[in-house]
Amino acid sequence: MHIHIFTLFPQMFQGPFQHSIVDRAKNAGLVEIHIHDIREYAHDRHHVSDDAQFGGGSGMVMKPEPIFEGVESVLADLTQLEMARTRVILTSPQGRLLNQNLVKELSQQLHLVLICGHYGGVDERIKQHLITDEISIGDYVLSGGEPAAIVVTDAVVRLLPGAVGSVASVQGDSITSGLLQHPIYTRPARFRQWEIPEILLSGNHLEIERWRRQRSLERTFRCRPEMLGKVRLTSEELLYLKTLGYKGNP
């Protein structure tokens, strides 16, 4: 996979992609991450990339010319087949909310182009005629799209085959399974006055999995009950949830 990030602040990406899973995926040749300075595509003497908005109003607006030129210079090198598996994404609080299903969808692409919004936003013609997707990482406003681009990249890269050592680790993640993750423990079995649940020391893997599933159900019900409506539950699991107060239908 190739990920191209267009930003006014390329220095913000110097650290996040040089560690952990993303760095290992880069070194293994699973992903190439290219950081592009939008100002390099502005051809005036001062490399101006933003301007006041027409009609008045506060906040500067990112100009269309350098963004179009930068993104199109990347797209121009792609074949028709590659273009069919390419997404051009604007990070924006107005976009589709990022979730694990969308992350899976993006991980199937060959090329991702991420445009980091900034200031008061981007010229509307970028939204109308250049991007394929507008994505938000949550219902809040950041100072710019750079942190959102880091989040999208990290979430996508870890789903690339070979990026994480164990496929089971990815499949068992919170959200990926449809439920929040069950409690997890490691050594020592007793820390201060707190001991791990005895079932985890039993060696009975069938009962351990049953315990984990119930804890996932309980945690999801307590913290994110809306998720339960999207999960296929057995009659036993529904009965267990009802003992906790769950009012959902089969």
Side-chain angles (χ1 to χ4, degrees):
M1 171 179 275
H2 294 261
I3 299 177
H4 295 266
I5 300 175
F6 285 84
T7 173
L8 293 172
F9 301 95
Q11 62 273 21
M12 290 185 69
F13 298 92
Q14 290 178 358
F17 300 149
Q18 297 173 352
H19 305 279
S20 191
I21 291 172
V22 175
D23 188 55
R24 293 201 300 270
K26 286 163 51 184
N27 292 334
L30 302 177
V31 63
E32 292 184 12
I33 301 176
H34 311 270
I35 309 299
H36 304 268
D37 188 343
I38 292 172
R39 291 186 177 88
E40 292 182 357
Y41 300 95
H43 300 298
D44 63 288
R45 188 172 70 174
H46 298 291
H47 299 282
V48 175
S49 300
D50 62 285
D51 208 337
Q53 57 182 299
F54 282 115
S58 61
M60 302 295 281
V61 178
M62 293 177 69
K63 294 167 62 65
E65 307 101 302
I67 294 178
F68 267 86
E69 181 173 326
V71 172
E72 289 174 344
S73 70
V74 170
L75 301 181
D77 293 331
L78 305 184
T79 66
Q80 189 173 358
L81 288 176
E82 288 176 317
M83 280 296 296
R85 294 180 61 189
T86 296
R87 305 281 276 273
V88 180
I89 299 164
L90 174 67
T91 57
S92 163
Q94 299 179 15
R96 176 182 172 188
L97 194 62
L98 186 70
N99 59 30
Q100 195 65 12
N101 287 334
L102 179 52
V103 171
K104 288 181 184 178
E105 187 180 317
L106 297 178
S107 71
Q108 303 301 312
Q109 307 303 307
L110 291 176
H111 297 266
L112 295 181
V113 179
L114 297 167
I115 302 169
C116 301
H118 220 87
Y119 306 127
V122 303
D123 187 286
E124 186 67 20
R125 289 163 289 190
I126 295 169
K127 297 184 181 183
Q128 292 176 338
H129 305 293
L130 184 61
I131 68 169
T132 61
D133 301 84
E134 197 169 356
I135 291 177
S136 167
I137 63 168
D139 293 333
Y140 46 86
V141 180
L142 298 167
S143 59
E146 286 75 15
I150 292 169
V151 168
V152 172
T153 300
D154 186 278
V156 168
V157 168
R158 70 185 307 277
L159 290 189
L160 299 179
V164 176
S166 170
V167 175
S169 296
V170 175
Q171 294 173 342
D173 286 337
S174 281
I175 308 299
T176 298
S177 65
L179 300 172
L180 300 184
Q181 189 181 48
H182 55 78
I184 55 176
Y185 300 88
T186 189
R187 292 180 177 85
R190 178 181 176 87
F191 172 64
R192 296 181 179 174
Q193 73 272 29
W194 306 302
E195 295 185 0
I196 69 170
E198 189 174 344
I199 182 67
L200 298 178
L201 300 174
S202 69
N204 188 328
H205 296 292
L206 190 62
E207 286 301 311
I208 289 173
E209 287 307 310
R210 185 170 181 270
W211 178 88
R212 286 174 171 170
R213 181 70 173 182
Q214 288 184 343
R215 297 293 81 73
S216 287
L217 290 166
E218 180 180 358
R219 181 165 286 180
T220 304
F221 173 64
R222 303 293 187 202
C223 302
R224 295 285 304 278
E226 76 281 0
M227 292 175 61
L228 292 172
K230 302 176 183 178
V231 179
R232 182 174 296 178
L233 301 170
T234 66
S235 57
E236 180 185 350
E237 290 170 343
L238 277 170
L239 184 61
Y240 173 73
L241 282 169
K242 289 184 184 300
T243 67
L244 301 177
Y246 180 58
K247 305 297 184 181
N249 296 320

